[in-house]
């Protein structure tokens, strides 16, 4: 077992294994014993085949969007039929099992890692003597307001910016919320938009109905990307702190993480095209045939797993997406654009876990 080292450490006089790990190991033993008893009772090869191709029904929550572009996950559900190999299916989750990265957004401010998953309070990894320490666990973001969640969190200048806010279970998908300025090597001390003594604030982008999906700094501005539009957020100081300008009323991004920085600005994986944002204007990028090919090939049910990443060593941007003939639902193809040669290509992404 991958957790045996914890037993050896305790036996050698080191730190004791926590109760949650002891419980997990007991659950693993019980599950393994149950499987062993079942296998020993098999009377035929067909029984083994059925064990390795066991039919199940999965029930998953359904995402719906209202007329304002606000996403609601559940309570409606849908069922899916599939087969599993019971040899490696149904085992208990370890206490350190990772959260699906699709639901996690992260940023760094003053050397402090900050993450959000739109379910729990944002988390921070506090610094010890100015650096992160493996002995320090992630903890709730200090000074974050109660009963508030955000779908994405980013840093800009010395501010933290929360995007697509939920307050007391009420979604405000067009709201931008920013902190007061953070001190060196620490997180902001306040998010109170009603206080006259700090620079924290909120603003709702109501010119278009789409929800805010993500944001990214560009030069001296912070770009906010909605489903159907793009805004520029610029620092102006007191009393307003930030000003907001609509850069495009029609171009938005396909999903969260569908924008990435490169030498010429932002590369945007949009709804129906790829674009460049140089901070002043939005430029369409794809040739017609390539555009038709890409957007007819994307899995229409899993499109929101798409993302972009920049490879500076090769001067390339990869727009990764799940194809319609991919059964896993994960991103398995990438449109690759070399911004130096202005050349496009398609690349396979085998065994991608994101």
């Amino acid at each position: 077992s991958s957790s045996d080292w914890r037993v050896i450490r305790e036996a050698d006089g080191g730190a004791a294994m926590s109760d949650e790990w002891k419980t997990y190991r007991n659950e693993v033993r019980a599950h393994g014993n149950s499987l062993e008893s079942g296998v020993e009772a098999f009377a035929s090869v067909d029984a083994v085949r059925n064990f390795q191709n066991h039919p199940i029904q999965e029930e998953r929550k359904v995402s719906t969007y209202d007329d304002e572009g606000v996403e609601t996950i559940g309570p409606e559900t849908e069922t899916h039929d599939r087969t599993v190999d019971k040899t490696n299916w149904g085992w208990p989750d370890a206490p350190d099992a990772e959260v699906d990265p699709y639901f996690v957004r992260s940023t760094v401010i003053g050397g402090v890692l900050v993450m959000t998953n739109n379910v729990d309070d944002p988390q921070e990894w506090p610094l010890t003597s100015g650096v992160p320490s493996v002995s320090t666990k992630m903890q709730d973001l200090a000074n974050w307001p109660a009963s508030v969640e955000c779908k994405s969190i980013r840093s800009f200048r010395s501010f933290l910016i929360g995007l697509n806010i939920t307050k007391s279970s009420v979604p405000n998908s067009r709201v931008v919320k920013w902190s007061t300025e953070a001190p060196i090597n620490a997180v902001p001390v306040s998010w109170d938009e009603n206080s006259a003594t700090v620079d924290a604030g909120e603003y709702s982008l109501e010119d278009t109905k789409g929800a805010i999906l993500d944001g990214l700094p560009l030069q001296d501005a912070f770009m906010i990307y909605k489903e159907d539009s793009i805004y520029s957020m610029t620092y102006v100081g007191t009393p307003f702190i930030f000003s907001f300008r609509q850069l495009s009323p029609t171009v938005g991004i396909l999903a969260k993480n569908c924008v990435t920085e490169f030498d010429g600005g932002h590369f945007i994986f949009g709804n129906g095209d790829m674009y460049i944002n140089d901070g002043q204007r939005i430029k369409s990028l794809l040739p017609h045939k390539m555009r038709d090919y890409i957007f007819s090939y994307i899995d229409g049910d899993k499109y929101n797993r798409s993302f972009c990443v920049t490879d500076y060593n090769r001067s390339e941007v990869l727009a990764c997406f799940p194809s319609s003939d991919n059964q896993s639902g994960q991103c398995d193809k990438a449109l690759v654009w070399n911004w130096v040669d202005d050349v496009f290509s398609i690349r396979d992404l085998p065994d991608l876990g994101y």
Side-chain angles (χ1 to χ4, degrees):
S1 168
S2 60
S3 61
D4 286 348
W5 66 271
R6 299 176 184 273
V7 179
I8 297 171
R9 181 182 63 180
E10 182 174 353
D12 284 347
M17 183 166 48
S18 67
D19 290 341
E20 60 181 357
W21 276 102
K22 292 177 181 178
T23 299
Y24 163 71
R25 288 173 62 85
N26 289 333
E27 290 174 348
V28 168
R29 291 191 193 95
H31 185 78
N33 291 338
S34 175
L35 290 179
E36 185 176 348
S37 299
V39 170
E40 289 175 347
F42 289 158
S44 66
V45 174
D46 285 341
V48 176
R49 293 194 185 100
N50 292 336
F51 184 79
Q52 294 181 313
N53 296 274
H54 177 67
I56 66 168
Q57 269 198 341
E58 284 187 331
E59 186 176 30
R60 299 176 179 174
K61 291 183 179 180
V62 178
S63 290
T64 58
Y65 294 84
D66 63 17
D67 293 339
E68 303 298 317
V70 177
E71 180 185 16
T72 300
I73 301 177
E76 295 83 6
T77 61
E78 60 184 9
T79 57
H80 301 266
D81 295 322
R82 70 184 185 99
T83 59
V84 297
D85 183 349
K86 293 184 69 174
T87 306
N88 50 36
W89 175 78
W91 289 87
D93 289 330
D96 62 350
E98 295 184 0
V99 177
D100 185 344
Y102 171 68
F103 295 105
V104 177
R105 302 292 173 265
S106 64
T107 192
V108 175
I109 185 166
V112 181
L113 175 65
V114 179
M115 308 180 75
T116 184
N117 62 2
N118 195 41
V119 177
D120 307 300
D121 285 349
Q123 300 289 296
E124 64 165 299
W125 190 6
L127 302 181
T128 302
S129 300
V131 296
S133 172
V134 294
S135 63
T136 304
K137 295 183 178 181
M138 298 288 288
Q139 62 187 40
D140 289 350
L141 177 61
N143 309 310
W144 179 257
S147 303
V148 176
E149 294 84 37
C150 62
K151 282 202 171 182
S152 183
I153 194 164
R154 299 288 191 181
S155 61
F156 176 57
R157 295 169 60 98
S158 53
F159 296 87
L160 276 178
I161 301 175
L163 303 168
N164 195 322
I165 303 298
T166 297
K167 289 186 177 183
S168 301
S169 301
V170 178
N172 299 273
S173 64
R174 306 187 197 102
V175 170
V176 181
K177 183 176 182 64
W178 64 90
S179 69
T180 194
E181 292 190 87
I184 298 174
N185 291 341
V187 298
V189 298
S190 177
W191 291 78
D192 186 358
E193 70 276 11
N194 296 313
S195 173
T197 62
V198 298
D199 292 339
E202 289 184 357
Y203 190 80
S204 185
L205 304 175
E206 297 292 341
D207 293 339
T208 58
K209 291 184 177 181
I212 298 172
L213 296 181
D214 217 335
L216 203 62
L218 178 59
Q219 301 166 10
D220 60 350
F222 183 80
M223 297 294 162
I224 301 169
Y225 293 93
K226 300 178 71 175
E227 296 170 316
D228 54 2
S229 55
I230 301 172
Y231 287 78
S232 174
M233 178 178 176
T234 307
Y235 179 77
V236 294
T238 54
F240 302 108
I241 312 302
F242 288 103
S243 66
F244 295 83
R245 176 174 67 93
Q246 189 181 78
L247 196 60
S248 172
T250 56
V251 174
I253 62 172
L254 186 66
K256 291 180 281 287
N257 288 331
C258 279
V259 57
T260 187
E261 188 176 8
F262 75 105
D263 285 349
H266 285 175
F267 177 94
I268 302 167
F269 194 163
N271 287 299
D273 204 344
M274 310 286 179
Y275 302 90
I276 295 174
N277 176 6
D278 64 6
Q280 300 298 321
R281 63 191 182 98
I282 309 299
K283 177 185 176 183
S284 175
L285 190 60
L286 289 181
H288 290 295
K289 289 185 178 180
M290 180 65 76
R291 182 175 62 208
D292 293 343
Y293 171 77
I294 293 295
F295 288 94
S296 64
Y297 197 25
I298 295 176
D299 187 331
D301 294 326
K302 305 295 184 182
Y303 72 92
N304 56 359
R305 297 187 176 183
S306 304
F307 66 95
C308 296
V309 64
T310 303
D311 185 344
Y312 282 101
N313 289 331
R314 293 185 173 88
S315 300
E316 292 178 344
V317 171
L318 285 75
C320 308
F321 61 92
S323 66
S324 55
D325 55 9
N326 175 32
Q327 299 301 313
S328 73
Q330 304 296 336
C331 294
D332 64 323
K333 299 288 183 181
L335 168 75
V336 182
W337 175 55
N338 185 295
W339 66 78
V340 174
D341 300 326
D342 195 22
V343 173
F344 297 93
S345 60
I346 300 295
R347 186 175 299 169
D348 290 331
L349 302 174
D351 303 320
L352 190 66
Y354 182 83

